[in-house]
Amino acid sequence: GFLASRLGTHANKGELDTFDGFRKISLGNLAVVQCQAIVVGFLASLVAAMLDILATHTFHPGHILLMSASSLMTASLASFVLASLMIGVVVFARRWGINPDNIASPIAGMLGDFCTLGLLSVIADALYTSSEDCLWLQPLIIAAFCTMAVVFFRLIAKDDAAMKVLNEGWKPVIVSMLISSLAGLVLQHSSRHFKGLAPFAPVMNGAGGNLVAVQSSRLSTDLHCNGAPGVMPSRRASLQRPCTVGGLRPRMDSDVDQITPRASFAALLGRNRHAGSARVLICLSVPGACCFVNLIVWLRTRGKALPTSLFMSIYIAATLSQVSILFVFSHWVVAHLWRRGLNPDNAAIPYVTSLGDLVGTVCLSLAFFALANFGGTPWPGLPCDG
């Protein structure tokens, strides 16, 4: 997601229009993504191993080796495939006059989980099957990817811009991993109490995170086109030097507010240009929620039932609550990072998408709790409280 945001900013500033600029930015970002993916993949496997030990009170070295090797290989391959795809999407969007900020982040979010989970299942199954015949394979994979991480780091160290991206990206990536892990624990606990909750979690969390990723990317691009990190440009300053986004020149007016809306729910109703786009994106969550909820219920019941009106009402209320909270947080975190002299492209999206998982899971759990208290069910014949 944050790679798509960075590339969108580069594209809107015209830095990908020359071959030399495209080559340098693309190779630098690919190296950064690979280095981060390998390190975070290894840390994620250690967190999973620790949770497994705490849950089972047993220590299995073979399980740790399997999780580490599978996680490292999956993280590296998935990040390379998705990064290459994002570069192609951004270049295509730029060439056709489409704002990359509007499409790159949602595509990355949509394909990220699907690609990662698919690769993880295939790789883990293959390594588990071969573990008895090739005891050396898993340690070799771990050693090989650790060596690759060092090589990528050496390459990044030669590029000041890529090194800055790497340094600013460690904290948000690791924090987002921990927040998403917490969201997973909340989902696991809630799924035990409410039947039928789990299938709706990916829809709520993914849709909310993708919508807010678009907003964060657009905010960051607007800031970069009108100033440098450390000083918040005003709306008047932005109108003196407008950024061409998707080939279109922004409308001129006399608004002198800051580019980023204030981080409050009231500001979502304000006249700020990005507050207006936030309202549009929030409204888009409603038809999306209706479509996917009906689809999930239809598939779960094999076409025999549709969601109850009470459940639809509560689910839509939970969706609007989630995305509104995330948009307010997005406006705050982008402005906060910018004022601290940090590039929001390197940090904002990991924060908002991981928080989207947590807030979405909590809102969904509260929705099922409210549904159970009202005596309702997600669809006829299924008790909500399990």
Side-chain angles (χ1 to χ4, degrees):
F2 53 93
L3 172 62
S5 181
R6 285 200 301 269
L7 292 175
T9 297
H10 287 304
N12 282 318
K13 294 174 70 176
E15 295 173 354
L16 297 180
D17 294 344
T18 63
F19 177 77
D20 289 339
F22 170 79
R23 180 182 60 82
K24 181 179 180 180
I25 292 172
S26 298
L27 293 178
N29 277 281
L30 283 173
V32 169
V33 168
Q34 281 294 304
C35 187
Q36 289 179 332
I38 293 172
V39 174
V40 174
F42 185 68
L43 293 177
S45 67
L46 294 181
V47 172
M50 182 183 67
L51 294 176
D52 180 64
I53 293 173
L54 292 176
T56 62
H57 303 287
T58 55
F59 177 73
H60 297 288
H63 291 181
I64 296 177
L65 285 175
L66 176 62
M67 284 190 289
S68 298
S70 302
S71 180
L72 285 169
M73 184 174 290
T74 300
S76 180
L77 290 176
S79 64
F80 177 76
V81 171
L82 291 171
S84 301
L85 178 62
M86 285 304 98
I87 293 173
V89 168
V90 169
V91 171
F92 174 84
R94 177 69 176 175
R95 187 155 299 178
W96 287 90
I98 303 172
N99 184 1
D101 289 327
N102 293 337
I103 61 174
S105 294
I107 291 176
M110 175 185 66
L111 296 179
D113 292 340
F114 176 78
C115 180
T116 302
L117 291 175
L119 284 173
L120 180 61
S121 61
V122 172
I123 291 172
D125 181 69
L127 290 178
Y128 179 77
T129 303
S130 62
S131 59
E132 294 183 0
D133 297 329
C134 303
L135 297 176
W136 49 267
L137 181 59
Q138 295 172 13
L140 178 63
I141 290 174
I142 295 173
F145 278 100
C146 290
T147 303
M148 287 174 58
V150 175
V151 172
F152 283 122
F153 180 80
R154 296 282 301 269
L155 294 174
I156 294 168
K158 300 177 181 179
D159 186 342
D160 293 339
M163 194 65 187
K164 182 179 180 181
V165 171
L166 184 66
N167 290 333
E168 293 183 359
W170 284 123
K171 181 180 177 181
V173 167
I174 294 174
V175 171
S176 66
M177 180 190 71
L178 297 176
I179 294 175
S180 295
S181 299
L182 178 59
L185 294 176
V186 174
L187 177 61
Q188 183 181 25
H189 178 76
S190 299
S191 298
R192 294 173 182 171
H193 289 78
F194 303 111
K195 291 183 178 179
L197 179 145
F200 298 99
V203 173
M204 175 169 282
N205 297 347
N210 286 341
L211 291 172
V212 182
V214 171
Q215 182 76 349
S216 299
S217 185
R218 289 170 59 89
L219 284 171
S220 182
T221 295
D222 202 357
L223 289 169
H224 276 288
C225 288
N226 297 286
V231 179
M232 183 65 69
S234 66
R235 176 57 62 192
R236 177 175 295 166
S238 72
L239 294 177
Q240 292 172 355
R241 295 179 288 114
C243 174
T244 301
V245 178
L248 299 177
R249 186 182 180 92
R251 180 177 59 85
M252 307 292 281
D253 55 39
S254 58
D255 187 3
V256 295
D257 290 338
Q258 292 180 342
I259 288 177
T260 56
R262 289 182 293 109
S264 68
F265 292 102
L268 293 176
L269 303 176
R271 297 178 58 187
N272 185 285
R273 181 175 302 151
H274 290 291
S277 64
R279 291 193 295 271
V280 173
L281 293 171
I282 290 173
C283 290
L284 286 176
S285 67
V286 175
C290 294
C291 291
F292 283 108
V293 167
N294 279 277
L295 179 61
I296 290 172
V297 173
W298 187 81
L299 291 174
R300 289 294 299 270
T301 62
R302 299 181 181 180
K304 297 179 180 179
L306 290 175
T308 62
S309 57
L310 177 61
F311 175 65
M312 282 300 306
S313 300
I314 294 177
Y315 185 91
I316 291 174
T319 298
L320 290 174
S321 299
Q322 179 219 19
V323 294
S324 297
I325 292 171
L326 292 180
F327 272 95
V328 171
F329 176 77
S330 171
H331 296 163
W332 174 82
V333 74
V334 169
H336 176 71
L337 292 169
W338 188 267
R339 290 191 181 97
R340 290 183 57 194
L342 301 175
N343 184 357
D345 283 330
N346 299 334
I349 289 183
Y351 286 135
V352 297
T353 53
S354 61
L355 191 67
D357 292 341
L358 181 59
V359 175
T361 303
V362 171
C363 288
L364 184 61
S365 302
L366 293 175
F368 271 75
F369 178 76
L371 187 65
N373 283 343
F374 283 121
T377 60
W379 61 84
L382 178 75
C384 178
D385 193 353

